[in-house]
Amino acid sequence: MSTVAASVLLLALGAPAAEAPHFVVSGADTLPLRATQTDVHVAGVIAHVRVRQRYENDGANAIEAQYVFAGSTQAAVFGMTMKIGERTIVAKIDERARARRKYETAKDEGRAAALLEQSRPNVLSMNVANIMPGDVVEVTLDYTELLVPERGVYALVVPGVVGTRFDGEGGREAWNENPNLPDHTPGPKFGLRARIVGGAPVRAVKCTTHRIAPQFTGRDVVDVRVLDEDGSDRDFILRYRLDGEAIQTGVLLYEAKGEKFFAATIQPPEHVAPTMIPPREYVFVVDVSGSMRGFPTQTTVALLEQLLADLRPQDRFNVVLFAGGQTLFAPRSVPATRDQVERAVEVVRHLRGGGGTELLEALNTALGTLREATIATSFVIITDGYVNVEREAYALVRRERGRANVFPFGVGRSVNRHLVESLARAGAGRPFVVTNASEAHDAAKRFARYVSAPVMTNVRVGFDGFDVYDVEPTAQPDLFGERPLVVFGKYRGAARGRIQVRGDTGMGAFARDVDLADARPSDDLVALRYLWARERVAALTEGDTTEHEEAVTALGLAYGLMTPFTSFVAVDDRVRRHGADPVVTVRQPLPRASGSFGKSGGLLGTLRSNGSGGALNNVYGDIALGGGGSADGFSGVVRGSLSKDRIARVFRRKRGAFKHVFERMLKSDPNLSGKVVLELTVGPDGRVVAARIRGDAAKQKRWAGLVAVAKKMRFPAPAGGGTIHISYPFIFRAP
């Protein structure tokens, strides 16, 4: 067996020297991103958004530019243009593979071309080919979305940056395809203007993410301008109300050639009385990974303190902390007594962000605590969502739908809204997003009020005398808050009859009808066509997108819509670069989300083989602190702590022993590979009091050699006494 060299190292957080945002080309050649300008027009409940990104090639070479940027998860992207100098090229929608071929052909032929593809529902990628020296290039993107109020408050969200995705479940860190700007480096010049035509006087205009200058220009019109030119490193969120708590409730109609579309919003019933609320169980799944450092962790602590304090003694709760591993507050949910809540709050106050983000294992752990009982269970998942397993997480939660409601709580300056909203859809819950520490207290109060009891269950939407088809969503989840039901669809003939909503509340049966007698189609509501198609695409692509690839492709082509399988491509007919001229491909650095700390500071170790002896890669090891527990998890107050540096030194001293176990196993199984999580409980004197391999009995037996080594490890005594729990994952790969 070959000798295996080993090393364990700790990633240090740090920033390279500051530099202006630009494409790095070669030498002095750069393609600065001069500005991003967003213009929003809101008419009633429909927003039309136009995003312009302007670049200039100041270098001496022709350039192919590649960059990614954030998109709205609720948006229907329906248009793109590319302007070079005085020439404007309108992009066309096409099948993704064919659009890519058209782009590559144009690039090779020396013609200017632009390609817009969907990486995820909230991440778009743009390629622009043959940008010549001196060129000014402006790419414009158009999308529309429906604004749905909650308790009478409308929220206009324009995403800012693409957050880093962590793919810990695959044993690697998968960052977005473009590099980040150094920490504390401003992004491109940021501009945003919005006009809101509310249909009723607009009131309480508020923005906590950017400085704004609102100007009321009419009875129901307000113009908003952002004053922060360096505001590209965070989402823009504007909230407002309409006079008299008015809510745009009713039916919108649009008639296109051959098709007619409707969108209905129906106001829900009021909350039930607290005395009618049965006991409930809450399981809080909390992300403590590296990307949650700083503001997100501080906000998480404030949120959990508020949420736990609002529980009643007849309620039950549990807490799952996760990063590279996970830790349970208790093996099973405990009564929300004053003592238990105080213990949990103490644990939460010791949260420290670090390591990767193993969301799937945390969800499996949380779902494993479900009891077969009449008590209703709600899962609260608190994370910034910077993971690369959206589809897998959706499928996992979807399988448990009906046994529990899932409420994802996104925390951070730029949350992965696709993950948050997908989990809510899969778990019949409602997504929440907190982007500012000042919002944490109010958001926690809104959430506690929201999940305290279902406003309406067994929701049914029917149509009396209204000939509808292709209705989305096909089924309504339980309603947990004062947020209107929204239904899209198509109809035949005249718009007449009624839309009926039925359900059960704590006060008894609920019934509400919306009469279509006064509804009239409007040519200004062409957005309904795109919004219906986007809703149908979202329904088909949640989970496994490939299952409905043909249907989604057909929808994208028929409605001119961006989807996972359709892309926009714009090609100029002029040849601008000849074969002998060089072309350089560059990637646009992206600003980091405000408040982020870059790559997580988890343990990173490698055992590499210089021959046929195999390789052991401990990609990361996350340290979860706890106290007074067992190898299965922990409960009680955190009384001791031990730094990651000191833990890393202990693992370094045992690297030879771990290497020997792996090499010995490779002799009998040359293809040995996979992931193993070693769980340790360290006592007040630093001795390992319990050790196990996470998994079933067969897995524990197979890797018993690692446990034997671990039991001989000796750590420094934790500061302050008490015990600590360590979850240390290894990724084994065969040679």
Side-chain angles (χ1 to χ4, degrees):
M1 188 66 62
S2 304
T3 302
V4 180
S7 64
V8 180
L9 33 131
L10 181 69
L11 285 179
L13 297 174
E19 54 183 298
H22 62 273
F23 284 108
V24 179
V25 185
S26 63
D29 293 345
T30 60
L31 180 67
L33 172 57
R34 299 299 190 192
T36 297
Q37 175 65 43
T38 301
D39 293 298
V40 184
H41 185 271
V42 178
V45 294
I46 295 178
H48 174 226
V49 183
R50 174 164 290 175
V51 181
R52 295 185 179 91
Q53 295 175 320
R54 183 166 60 88
Y55 296 86
E56 296 181 18
N57 184 356
D58 292 335
N61 293 318
I63 291 171
E64 179 197 16
Q66 300 175 348
Y67 57 100
V68 297
F69 56 98
S72 170
T73 56
Q74 302 298 317
V77 181
F78 64 87
M80 185 188 86
T81 60
M82 176 180 66
K83 184 178 180 181
I84 303 178
E86 299 301 319
R87 292 177 62 82
T88 299
I89 299 96
V90 178
K92 297 180 181 179
I93 198 73
D94 209 337
E95 295 180 14
R96 183 168 183 143
R98 190 159 59 183
R100 168 63 69 171
R101 288 196 298 270
K102 289 180 179 179
Y103 171 81
E104 295 292 345
T105 298
K107 181 181 71 172
D108 293 342
E109 293 175 349
R111 292 181 288 158
L115 177 69
L116 178 66
E117 297 175 313
Q118 176 180 304
S119 299
R120 285 182 173 80
N122 63 335
V123 180
L124 307 180
S125 61
M126 179 78 77
N127 286 40
V128 183
N130 293 313
I131 305 172
M132 304 304 292
D135 276 349
V136 176
V137 179
E138 183 177 275
V139 178
T140 301
L141 173 70
D142 287 280
Y143 68 85
T144 185
E145 64 179 282
L146 189 75
L147 304 183
V148 181
E150 182 180 327
R151 294 179 60 83
V153 177
Y154 292 82
L156 171 65
V157 179
V158 178
V161 300
V162 178
T164 301
R165 303 291 190 268
F166 183 86
D167 191 14
E169 276 84 356
R172 59 190 173 84
E173 293 185 19
W175 305 97
N176 52 44
E177 65 180 79
N178 280 35
N180 283 116
L181 288 168
D183 292 335
H184 313 299
T185 302
K189 184 178 179 181
F190 176 78
L192 189 147
R193 297 186 296 261
R195 164 162 286 199
I196 300 169
V197 182
V202 183
R203 297 286 183 264
V205 178
K206 183 180 181 181
C207 179
T208 58
T209 61
H210 296 73
R211 293 183 302 118
I212 62 171
Q215 182 177 1
F216 294 87
T217 57
R219 176 180 175 274
D220 60 351
V221 179
V222 60
D223 291 317
V224 176
R225 181 171 59 89
V226 171
L227 302 178
D228 299 320
E229 292 188 350
D230 60 349
S232 63
D233 62 347
R234 56 196 182 274
D235 295 350
F236 170 81
I237 303 176
L238 181 75
R239 293 186 172 90
Y240 60 93
R241 292 180 177 271
L242 299 182
D243 195 28
E245 304 295 320
I247 291 180
Q248 297 279 352
T249 299
V251 180
L252 303 176
L253 304 174
Y254 173 73
E255 295 186 356
K257 185 177 180 180
E259 288 183 309
K260 301 176 181 180
F261 300 86
F262 75 90
T265 57
I266 300 97
Q267 181 68 4
E270 299 294 330
H271 276 287
V272 300
T275 56
M276 303 184 69
I277 301 171
R280 296 185 61 81
E281 177 186 28
Y282 301 89
V283 180
F284 301 99
V285 185
V286 185
D287 183 352
V288 293
S289 63
S291 60
M292 292 285 287
R293 287 186 173 187
F295 151 69
T297 293
Q298 296 165 9
T299 302
T300 297
V301 172
L303 285 170
L304 278 175
E305 288 181 342
Q306 176 69 48
L307 293 170
L308 290 169
D310 285 345
L311 297 182
R312 306 165 304 168
Q314 62 265 42
D315 295 327
R316 302 179 68 86
F317 77 94
N318 206 345
V319 182
V320 180
L321 308 178
F322 74 94
Q326 66 260 210
T327 309
L328 276 168
F329 173 73
R332 289 290 182 268
S333 292
V334 298
T337 62
R338 183 173 181 178
D339 288 345
Q340 293 284 16
V341 168
E342 287 180 353
R343 292 171 63 205
V345 168
E346 189 66 21
V347 170
V348 169
R349 285 175 179 161
H350 286 78
L351 291 180
R352 295 293 184 271
T357 311
E358 286 207 17
L359 175 62
L360 294 182
E361 286 205 11
L363 290 176
N364 271 314
T365 298
L367 292 168
T369 67
L370 272 174
R371 299 178 303 157
E372 297 296 337
T374 56
I375 187 170
T377 301
S378 294
F379 288 94
V380 182
I381 304 171
I382 304 177
T383 179
D384 54 15
Y386 290 168
V387 296
N388 202 27
V389 290
E390 292 96 334
R391 296 178 189 174
E392 295 87 342
Y394 173 89
L396 179 60
V397 172
R398 181 74 177 184
R399 286 198 299 269
E400 300 293 336
R401 187 169 181 172
R403 298 181 65 201
N405 292 292
V406 176
F407 298 96
F409 216 130
V411 181
R413 295 290 186 185
S414 184
V415 172
N416 179 5
R417 292 175 182 265
H418 171 42
L419 174 74
V420 171
E421 293 172 8
S422 291
L423 290 179
R425 181 191 290 265
R430 164 83 173 95
F432 281 74
V433 174
V434 178
T435 61
N436 191 293
S438 64
E439 301 173 350
H441 179 74
D442 290 342
K445 290 178 63 177
R446 289 199 310 272
F447 175 80
R449 181 174 59 243
Y450 190 90
V451 302
S452 61
V455 172
M456 188 162 63
T457 60
N458 193 24
V459 181
R460 291 98 63 199
V461 179
F463 304 90
D464 180 20
F466 188 27
D467 187 7
V468 305
Y469 64 105
D470 286 347
V471 175
E472 291 290 347
T474 55
Q476 292 283 349
D478 291 350
L479 187 63
F480 272 76
E482 297 169 29
R483 176 183 172 89
L485 295 173
V486 180
V487 181
F488 293 94
K490 302 177 186 178
Y491 66 97
R492 305 178 185 90
R496 57 190 172 197
R498 296 175 300 170
I499 300 177
Q500 302 170 320
V501 177
R502 303 289 185 266
D504 300 322
T505 75
M507 306 294 289
F510 172 85
R512 179 165 292 168
D513 293 351
V514 178
D515 197 328
L516 276 69
D518 297 328
R520 298 287 183 273
S522 171
D523 292 339
D524 294 332
L525 295 176
V526 63
L528 293 185
R529 182 175 184 270
Y530 302 119
L531 292 171
W532 172 86
R534 188 207 68 84
E535 194 71 15
R536 173 58 62 89
V537 167
L540 292 174
T541 55
E542 292 288 2
D544 184 5
T545 59
T546 59
E547 181 180 355
H548 301 288
E549 180 174 349
E550 185 176 341
V552 172
T553 301
L555 281 166
L557 296 177
Y559 293 93
L561 206 64
M562 169 78 66
T563 75
F565 309 113
T566 54
S567 305
F568 282 102
V569 60
V571 177
D572 195 355
D573 56 7
R574 295 186 307 174
V575 175
R576 312 184 72 245
R577 180 182 61 83
H578 299 283
D581 297 332
V583 61
V584 180
T585 299
V586 296
R587 297 185 299 160
Q588 168 65 29
L590 306 174
R592 294 193 189 277
S594 175
S596 72
F597 285 76
K599 293 187 178 182
S600 58
L603 296 172
L604 182 65
T606 304
L607 296 175
R608 300 191 182 279
S609 169
N610 54 15
S612 60
L616 178 152
N617 293 299
N618 173 222
V619 178
Y620 55 84
D622 182 66
I623 311 306
L625 299 180
S630 67
D632 295 324
F634 73 92
S635 62
V637 177
V638 176
R639 297 193 307 274
S641 63
L642 196 60
S643 73
K644 292 181 181 180
D645 285 329
R646 303 186 78 179
I647 293 172
R649 286 198 291 270
V650 177
F651 273 93
R652 287 193 196 102
R653 288 198 297 267
K654 287 293 182 180
R655 65 180 181 266
F658 286 123
K659 175 199 69 175
H660 180 69
V661 170
F662 183 52
E663 290 179 340
R664 187 173 66 243
M665 296 177 70
L666 279 174
K667 291 180 180 179
S668 58
D669 185 2
N671 297 317
L672 179 68
S673 63
K675 175 182 172 180
V676 176
V677 179
L678 178 64
E679 295 184 334
L680 307 177
T681 299
V682 179
D685 61 354
R687 295 180 185 274
V688 176
V689 297
R692 69 187 294 269
I693 296 297
R694 185 183 301 158
D696 57 23
K699 189 170 186 178
Q700 294 182 40
K701 182 178 179 180
R702 187 184 192 193
W703 294 98
L706 293 182
V707 173
V709 173
K711 287 182 176 179
K712 297 177 182 179
M713 299 175 77
R714 181 72 181 266
F715 294 85
T723 61
I724 64 169
H725 183 83
I726 301 173
S727 295
Y728 201 90
F730 293 88
I731 303 297
F732 294 92
R733 296 190 179 93

